[in-house]
Structures are given as structure tokens and as C-alpha cells.
Amino acid sequence: MRVIVSEEIWDFDLDAALGEISEQRRQQALKFRHEQGRRTSVLAYLLLKQALREGYGITANPLFEYGEHGKPAIIGHPEIHFSLSHCRDAVACAVGSRPVGIDVESIREYKEPLARYTMNDDELGQIVAAPRPDVAFIRLWTMKEAALKQIGTGISNELKTVLTDHADLKFTTHVRPQYVYTVCEPVT
């Protein structure tokens, strides 16, 4: 599996990059009202193109089709699985031969009501006991979202149980000063 994370959201020529991507992705990126959203959307696609070029020798712009719950797949390449994510501080891409999920989130103020809504009692205990509850919450949140992306359901009603219901998944989490990202893949 190949994982690429970039913090270079403001370090490329957006107009030039819009000319290097598929019309499908260009239209998606231009739907964002703010430049930050357009930039992260384009950068995620550029990271995917880089991973496809380096890992598979694919140089053409990938086109997407979408599953029942909105999970994207590359048209003509069912053997390649990918996941994209972005936040205000970073953009992440994971590509592999098995279903994969990735999530990146900026570290922000810990809000107990949100944690109670999305975490089970064991997870709440981990968060409260952590030296940095804000980081502990984001770590668990990225694990949950990466898992839901990996299994293809997206955010769903199983937020409190997704980590316990899917013990067949492996998580790799990285904590950076401003953000956390997690990659999720099958154990075997």
C-alpha cells in the first residue's frame, strides 16, 4: 500500500493544477465556495495521480464511479483501491490492492457533547484519561472514519460500535503537531 500525506496546500499554482486534472474532478473542486476547499480537493487528486504513476505506471487522469454509499472507484481499474481525505492542515491519499480507508483531521478543541454522541463508554474513558483529550478524540475519530471509508459505508449510524464491530481491520495512526491521520486496511 502507498500512503502520501501533504501539507503543501498553498504551495502550488491552483490554476495550472486545474488544467492537469480530469474534467470530472475539476467540476468537483470548483463546487467548493472557498479557495481552501478547492485546493485540498485538487491536491488530493494530484496525490492520487502520483500514487498511480509511481505504483502502477498509470499516467492518465483517473475517472471515478461511485458505489451505493458514495465510495469512489477508478473506472477500468477494479484491482486498485484508494481513499482520499483532507482537512485545513493536510491532504492524504492511500492506494493499494485491497480496500483501504484514510482520514486526516485537524486537531481542534475537545467538545464533550460531540464525544458523547460519537464514542462508546470505553472510548470516552480513553479520551478523558489521556493527557491530551483533544488528540485522543481526533485519533479515535480518524480511526472510525477510516474504517467506515474502508468498508464503504461512509459516516453511518454505527459510529459508536464501528471499531469493536470490525476487529478484522488494522489501523495505523500518525499524530502530527496540527493534525492526525489514520490508515485502515484488512488485517490479512
Side-chain angles (χ1 to χ4, degrees):
M1 178 179 26
R2 176 111 165 98
V3 175
I4 308 172
V5 179
S6 176
E7 299 172 8
E8 299 175 359
I9 297 166
W10 298 97
D11 298 341
F12 66 94
D13 182 333
L14 179 59
D15 290 331
L18 284 167
E20 297 172 13
I21 65 176
S22 71
E23 179 62 25
Q24 179 190 48
R25 188 60 174 200
R26 185 173 23 262
Q27 292 304 318
Q28 288 175 329
L30 292 174
K31 287 180 183 177
F32 285 91
R33 289 181 52 209
H34 301 286
E35 184 178 356
Q36 170 103 23
R38 291 190 296 273
R39 286 182 162 280
T40 56
S41 178
V42 169
L43 183 54
Y45 188 85
L46 293 175
L47 295 181
L48 175 62
K49 283 181 59 171
Q50 177 185 341
L52 293 173
R53 185 177 58 253
E54 293 172 355
Y56 299 89
I58 297 171
T59 57
N61 282 330
L63 295 177
F64 304 149
E65 59 189 356
Y66 296 90
E68 176 184 349
H69 299 286
K71 183 174 182 170
I74 300 170
I75 294 173
H77 291 283
E79 76 284 6
I80 301 173
H81 301 270
F82 76 98
S83 184
L84 305 173
S85 184
H86 48 81
C87 65
R88 73 174 180 261
D89 297 299
V91 175
C93 171
V95 178
S97 59
R98 300 182 303 165
V100 61
I102 194 164
D103 187 49
V104 61
E105 298 287 338
S106 298
I107 298 170
R108 55 191 175 273
E109 178 185 356
Y110 170 65
K111 296 183 179 175
E112 185 180 345
L114 179 59
R116 289 202 176 284
Y117 182 73
T118 59
M119 304 291 163
N120 63 39
D121 290 341
D122 180 56
E123 293 162 347
L124 285 169
Q126 291 176 45
I127 293 167
V128 172
R132 296 254 335 253
D134 56 342
V135 173
F137 172 79
I138 295 297
R139 182 183 64 79
L140 286 165
W141 177 262
T142 62
M143 290 172 68
K144 288 172 183 265
E145 196 163 334
L148 292 169
K149 286 180 173 186
Q150 192 276 340
I151 59 178
T153 60
I155 302 250
S156 66
N157 292 340
E158 61 180 298
L159 274 175
K160 288 189 177 189
T161 61
V162 66
L163 298 181
T164 53
D165 289 351
H166 297 282
D168 57 336
L169 298 177
K170 177 179 121 180
F171 299 92
T172 307
T173 300
H174 301 272
V175 178
R176 299 291 187 251
Q178 287 124 350
Y179 61 91
V180 175
Y181 73 94
T182 296
V183 179
C184 176
E185 61 185 319
V187 170
T188 57

